[in-house]
Amino acid sequence: MSPSPARTPFIVRLGRSFNARSWQMAGLFAAFALIAVPVMHLVLPPDHPLYLSTYFITLTGKILCYAIVAVAMDLIWGYGGILSLGHGLFFALGGYTFGMYLMRQIGRDGSYQSDLPDFMVFLDWKELPWFWAGSDNFLWVVLLVLVVPALIAFIFGYFAFRSRIKGVYFSIITQALTYAAMLLFFRNETGFGGNNGFTDFKRILGYSITAPETRVVLFGLSALALIGTLLLARFLVTSKYGRILTAIRDAESRVMFIGYNPLWYKLFVWTLSAMLCAIAGALYVPQVGIINPSEMSVGTSIEIAIWVAVGGRGTLIGAVIGAFVVNLAKSWFTVSFPEYWLFFLGTLFIVATLYLPQGIVGLWVKLRQRARRGGDDLAAEAKGASA
């Protein structure tokens, strides 16, 4: 009896998820984020043409976090056929959880010089709520950033997918869940700062959160997190699991007929997507300097879906492109034409839906194919002429 072939190690299979060109692009991006950005921001003088301002670092770092959320959305919508209009909830939960740690790091440097956060002193709280226990421990908070959103997503997803709720009904339920959470966090007695949320952060791991070096480190971590998210997502969608997930998206009844239970496949990617959003939220808060219930608004969750639709659903890299395009446009519009931003966003979504169903990535692929066919036709004509 011949021995069974050795199983390829996981790390090798993970590395093979990217082809050579993808690894080159990831390497260039990592080199830019980890080497070029620190040099251009910390070493070059402000009057140098290649100097990167604090505004650039903060804006790009924020969009990198949004790109992670977009990839997480593309996993469930583009490959699982699960359109969530409540992913802003998981993003905000990650931000609030890490924000608790940042609030505890303020210590007695707050306005009231108390060990309690300022908003608790203002509301006449005498001690920290029970769920703030351990929030001054960095490793414990990092664990909570992963566990809390994952647990909520798992419980909600289990009952929703077991009941075979899908399509527009699932989207409406996720939207309602997020809206309910937003209303809850708006209340002062919940212990999350109410309408103002968390802000006025001072330190992270003992370092000043506004120091240029800290901002560069957070930028680099966001870039690495995006690369890791893309690598993990690519590994999943190209594996056997990804093929089954896509089959569930296209014909769930047929997949059930041949013996697969869609519940656990959908539940896994749903929970993983929630965790990725929470990681993005945790990286977002120290860079932006604030987290409040508006991050759970219905509009925020709809914007996440628009990023994916504009970039190209079911492509992964399209989600990243969509997040950058829409948010850069938002940064410009909200400054130059703030009253027209929502009209532009709605128009962009309509145009993408009607005329670019595969998004920017799909348009690029079509243009390349058309150019290739044109080149082949010219070559054929030249060959015929020479004959």
Side-chain angles (χ1 to χ4, degrees):
M1 182 176 179
S2 59
S4 58
R7 184 176 178 84
T8 306
F10 170 77
I11 191 66
V12 175
R13 288 183 285 124
L14 184 66
R16 290 175 179 172
S17 302
F18 278 1
N19 56 30
R21 184 176 181 181
S22 297
W23 275 116
Q24 290 175 358
M25 296 300 294
L28 289 174
F29 178 64
F32 172 77
L34 302 179
I35 300 175
V37 168
V39 171
M40 297 166 75
H41 181 61
L42 301 176
V43 178
L44 297 180
D47 57 349
H48 195 282
L50 295 180
Y51 173 77
L52 296 180
S53 65
T54 301
Y55 174 78
F56 173 88
I57 300 295
T58 302
L59 176 62
T60 310
K62 180 178 73 172
I63 298 178
L64 287 174
C65 297
Y66 286 156
I68 297 172
V69 178
V71 174
M73 170 64 84
D74 198 22
L75 269 178
I76 61 169
W77 186 26
Y79 294 92
I82 306 168
L83 175 56
S84 168
L85 295 181
H87 256 40
L89 170 62
F90 305 121
F91 177 77
L93 285 176
Y96 265 101
T97 304
F98 197 73
M100 293 165 64
Y101 166 79
L102 296 175
M103 291 298 290
R104 294 294 302 278
Q105 292 301 298
I106 296 175
R108 291 183 172 271
D109 292 340
S111 301
Y112 296 97
Q113 298 181 352
S114 171
D115 291 328
L116 295 177
D118 283 349
F119 73 89
M120 291 187 181
V121 178
F122 178 78
L123 295 173
D124 200 28
W125 290 55
K126 303 303 181 184
E127 59 183 3
L128 289 170
W130 64 268
F131 48 84
W132 279 71
S135 56
D136 57 342
N137 186 299
F138 179 81
L139 294 179
W140 172 247
V141 169
V142 170
L143 178 64
L144 289 181
V145 166
L146 300 175
V147 172
V148 173
L151 185 61
I152 294 175
F154 182 88
I155 294 173
F156 171 81
Y158 176 78
F159 288 105
F161 297 140
R162 191 185 67 168
S163 303
R164 300 193 66 185
I165 299 174
K166 53 186 177 180
V168 66
Y169 302 103
F170 184 86
S171 301
I172 292 173
I173 292 176
T174 56
Q175 192 175 67
L177 176 68
T178 304
Y179 187 70
M182 182 185 69
L183 294 179
L184 178 65
F185 274 70
F186 265 122
R187 300 176 66 89
N188 288 326
E189 58 267 29
T190 55
F192 292 106
N195 181 55
N196 296 321
F198 299 157
T199 188
D200 195 30
F201 307 130
K202 305 294 185 184
R203 288 175 291 274
I204 179 171
L205 290 175
Y207 297 95
S208 172
I209 203 168
T210 58
E213 295 81 6
T214 305
R215 292 189 177 278
V216 166
V217 170
L218 291 170
F219 179 92
L221 289 175
S222 300
L224 291 177
L226 177 58
I227 294 173
T229 300
L230 283 170
L231 180 60
L232 177 60
R234 184 65 182 170
F235 169 75
L236 286 176
V237 301
T238 56
S239 65
K240 178 182 177 181
Y241 168 83
R243 292 191 291 271
I244 296 174
L245 183 66
T246 305
I248 292 173
R249 177 198 66 188
D250 296 335
E252 184 172 342
S253 299
R254 294 185 181 182
V255 173
M256 294 175 64
F257 181 76
I258 60 177
Y260 290 98
N261 186 356
L263 168 63
W264 301 109
Y265 289 90
K266 295 166 75 172
L267 188 57
F268 173 78
V269 74
W270 169 256
T271 305
L272 175 64
S273 181
M275 294 174 66
L276 292 174
C277 287
I279 293 172
L283 289 168
Y284 170 89
V285 169
Q287 297 184 81
V288 177
I290 188 173
I291 179 72
N292 57 45
S294 64
E295 298 295 343
M296 300 182 189
S297 68
V298 173
T300 300
S301 295
I302 293 176
E303 276 192 41
I304 296 172
I306 293 176
W307 302 341
V308 179
V310 170
R313 176 183 161 201
T315 60
L316 296 182
I317 191 61
V320 177
I321 295 173
F324 269 86
V325 168
V326 175
N327 282 286
L328 287 174
K330 181 178 182 179
S331 297
W332 182 75
F333 261 91
T334 51
V335 173
S336 303
F337 307 98
E339 65 275 16
Y340 297 113
W341 160 242
L342 291 179
F343 294 101
F344 170 78
L345 186 64
T347 303
L348 183 64
F349 185 62
I350 292 172
V351 169
T353 303
L354 294 179
Y355 302 105
L356 296 174
Q358 297 176 326
I360 295 174
V361 171
L363 176 63
W364 171 251
V365 171
K366 288 182 179 180
L367 292 176
R368 287 188 60 187
Q369 291 175 346
R370 184 175 301 177
R372 189 179 296 113
R373 286 196 300 267
D376 293 341
D377 292 342
L378 289 175
E381 291 178 3
K383 183 177 181 181
S386 62

